Amino acid sequence: MTAVNLSLPTPADDGLESLVFASAREQAQALADGRVTAVALLEQALARMECHEAQLNAVPVRAVAQARSDALQADAALQRGERRPLLGVPITVKENFDVAGLATTVGNPDFQDNIARQDALAVAALRAAGAVLIGKSNVPHSLADLQSYNTIYGTSRNPWDLQRTPGGSSGGGAAAVAAGYVALELGTDIGGSVRIPAHFNGIFGHKTSYGLISMRGAGAPQGRFSARDLSVAGPLARTAQDLELALDLLLNLDPLEAKGWKFTLPPARHRQLRDFRVLVIDAWPGTDPSLSEQLVMDRLLRRLQAEGVTPVLWRDLPAALRPDLGEQHRTYRSLLGASVANPPPLSPAQRKRLAELAADDRSAEAALLRAPSLPHATWLQDNEHRHALRHQWEQLFTHFDVLLSPVAPTPAFAHQHQEPKEERRFPVAYADGMRQLGFRELFNWAGLPVLPGLPATSFPLGLDDDGLPVSAQAVGPYLEDRTTIAFAHAFELAHGGFVAPPLHSLEVVA
């Protein structure tokens, strides 16, 4: 192991240096006040990337010439007195979003020549708000992993520990935000792909209510107009308020929908932490918590109680009021597996397990194995279950404002590239010792809000005993995204939020 100094030399402009880990709002305000120029802010971001990218490999697709042109135009607009929410602020977007002139590959070599002709609608909206797009962040092959590596762009690494993953599939973007490249990233989430990277890197991430943000221009190949079932776009940032800033810019983008209706999201139910009615799931039903999950929930509960909040535990609710999370997860697995038009073939081991399934096996694993060949009648039954659950969750949220849970059973884990990924095992600490969890066992918490289409905000809780970030997630009622973000912001104000990683202490293999 060779220690590498990843700290950036201090610029002559101390005010500029203070903006490295500032929020997008703070950067925009500094630009509007004339305390810094868009060109200077961009060059600082590019210098930081130049210093760190050999180790992190978070943003392998760059648009430097265009970014410099856009920064010059932003400075001219600022000089004319224009004010837009992100005018001159550097950002990145996940690689699966189309950016005119750049390839959209989703990490798949088959799409290396898939050059976008125009920006995705969400990307265009951020540009219209004045953002300066530096480039696109790394993803796993076909966005189908909790790590971000592929044969085109290589492996992204976690700024807290280079031997660990930044997560997936929005992993490169989460690393870029945590490392101080940019204050804002646009990701997507179908199985925790925003929230788990946020958890692994100690930043904020928001999975939006299903259908809020247009996914047109997100994926490969060109010409896809329909959104993938369950999948949503969402921002990653270093503050909760930046999540709401991005959310407001990304609403009502699809011209087919906007001509007839527009989303007007309800205001946050509360702003003060003590006013929230909080429900907590401290262990996935039928399991005991990992040590990391225990740490997260113990820390969360202590801090809430210190603010005068008395959470209600999931297990103390009347059974009739609780959605059956086991059945919900089974249906989630079924519809998730059926959401891919051309699913990858099952591995030999999976085919063997599928052949051995009992006809009455209703486990989540069985549902996932059956999903690629799911009969339409069965899909319709699962879809009916989804809609019944949505109404049950809506009823539950008449009694509570947010549901809190862990994001994953472990902090960022070591790079694990064994194929097939379904055969991977991840060491996770429990009270009775280390257990080897399978790939699919990492998704329970991440999947919880996905099937009913609920908003969920991942927010940091500090570091564990190994110096790795840990987080919780706040899940809220459908279309009440402002409530989960407001809760995360209130918690941030009371107990702190993002902590910058000690980049100077990272080590890489010699």
Side-chain angles (χ1 to χ4, degrees), residues 151-176:
T151 57
I152 305 173
Y153 301 123
T155 299
S156 293
R157 302 176 186 88
N158 193 304
W160 289 91
D161 182 346
L162 295 177
Q163 309 310 318
R164 297 175 187 265
T165 181
S169 58
S170 305

Side-chain angles (χ1 to χ4, degrees), residues 124 194 262 356 415:
V194 162
K262 294 184 183 297
E356 295 170 349
H415 301 289

Side-chain angles (χ1 to χ4, degrees), residues 101-455:
L102 300 181
T104 300
T105 71
V106 297
N108 186 339
D110 293 344
F111 300 124
Q112 282 185 274
D113 297 326
N114 183 52
I115 307 300
R117 295 184 293 273
Q118 60 187 21
D119 290 346
L121 293 181
V123 173
L126 296 175
R127 285 196 199 267
V132 174
L133 178 64
I134 294 178
K136 303 210 290 181
S137 57
N138 205 17
V139 296
H141 186 285
S142 298
L143 313 183
D145 204 341
L146 287 182
Q147 304 171 78
S148 293
Y149 71 96
N150 57 74
T151 57
I152 305 173
Y153 301 123
T155 299
S156 293
R157 302 176 186 88
N158 193 304
W160 289 91
D161 182 346
L162 295 177
Q163 309 310 318
R164 297 175 187 265
T165 181
S169 58
S170 305
V177 172
Y181 295 0
V182 294
L184 189 67
E185 155 82 7
L186 178 63
T188 57
D189 191 312
I190 194 173
S193 289
V194 162
R195 290 161 291 139
I196 289 178
H199 162 58
F200 282 1
N201 291 272
I203 64 173
F204 293 81
H206 184 67
K207 173 212 166 302
T208 52
S209 293
Y210 184 75
L212 278 188
I213 299 176
S214 173
M215 299 290 283
R216 187 178 296 187
Q222 294 278 331
R224 291 174 24 156
F225 290 97
S226 60
R228 179 180 174 185
D229 191 19
L230 303 172
S231 184
V232 302
L236 298 101
R238 291 190 292 264
T239 70
Q241 284 191 316
D242 277 355
L243 300 178
E244 187 165 26
L245 168 64
L247 176 67
D248 287 338
L249 298 174
L250 295 168
L251 294 174
N252 301 312
L253 301 181
D254 195 296
L256 293 179
E257 297 173 354
K259 70 179 182 180
W261 66 79
K262 294 184 183 297
F263 282 111
T264 302
L265 299 185
R269 292 187 177 188
H270 307 288
R271 294 291 179 184
Q272 300 297 319
L273 203 56
R274 63 179 178 270
D275 295 330
F276 283 88
R277 298 171 298 167
V278 175
L279 177 63
V280 169
I281 307 182
D282 57 352
W284 188 260
T287 71
D288 54 324
S290 69
L291 293 185
S292 182
E293 289 168 332
Q294 284 185 351
L295 170 68
V296 164
M297 299 317 294
D298 289 348
R299 187 173 291 177
L300 185 62
L301 289 170
R302 285 199 310 272
R303 292 178 180 178
L304 288 174
Q305 289 164 356
E307 298 300 319
V309 178
T310 304
V312 175
L313 295 179
W314 180 266
R315 60 178 173 268
D316 293 334
L317 284 181
L321 195 58
R322 299 195 304 257
D324 185 327
L325 295 187
E327 279 297 299
Q328 174 175 309
H329 196 66
R330 188 214 65 81
T331 302
Y332 164 63
R333 284 289 180 203
S334 180
L335 293 184
L336 177 66
S339 68
V340 183
N342 297 296
L346 297 178
S347 69
Q350 287 178 307
R351 290 197 298 270
K352 182 175 183 295
R353 289 199 296 272
L354 177 61
E356 295 170 349
L357 288 177
D360 60 351
D361 188 337
R362 289 187 57 79
S363 66
E365 176 68 11
L368 190 67
L369 290 170
R370 292 172 177 142
S373 56
L374 198 68
H376 186 55
T378 305
W379 187 95
L380 289 171
Q381 292 169 6
D382 286 341
N383 192 46
E384 285 295 322
H385 183 220
R386 171 188 6 210
H387 286 288
L389 282 166
R390 293 182 71 182
H391 287 284
Q392 191 173 7
W393 279 107
E394 188 70 11
Q395 178 61 28
L396 181 62
F397 281 118
T398 64
H399 303 279
F400 300 96
D401 301 310
V402 292
L403 165 70
L404 304 183
S405 82
V407 180
T410 177
F413 49 78
H415 301 289
Q416 197 347 342
H417 296 175
Q418 175 189 340
E419 292 295 341
K421 62 177 176 285
E422 287 76 13
E423 305 303 320
R424 296 173 189 164
R425 293 296 177 264
F426 300 88
V428 177
Y430 285 79
D432 60 358
M434 298 299 294
R435 300 182 192 174
Q436 300 293 322
L437 297 190
F439 177 70
R440 302 297 176 187
E441 295 176 276
L442 304 178
F443 285 88
N444 289 351
W445 299 116
L448 189 152
V450 176
L451 182 71
L454 305 178

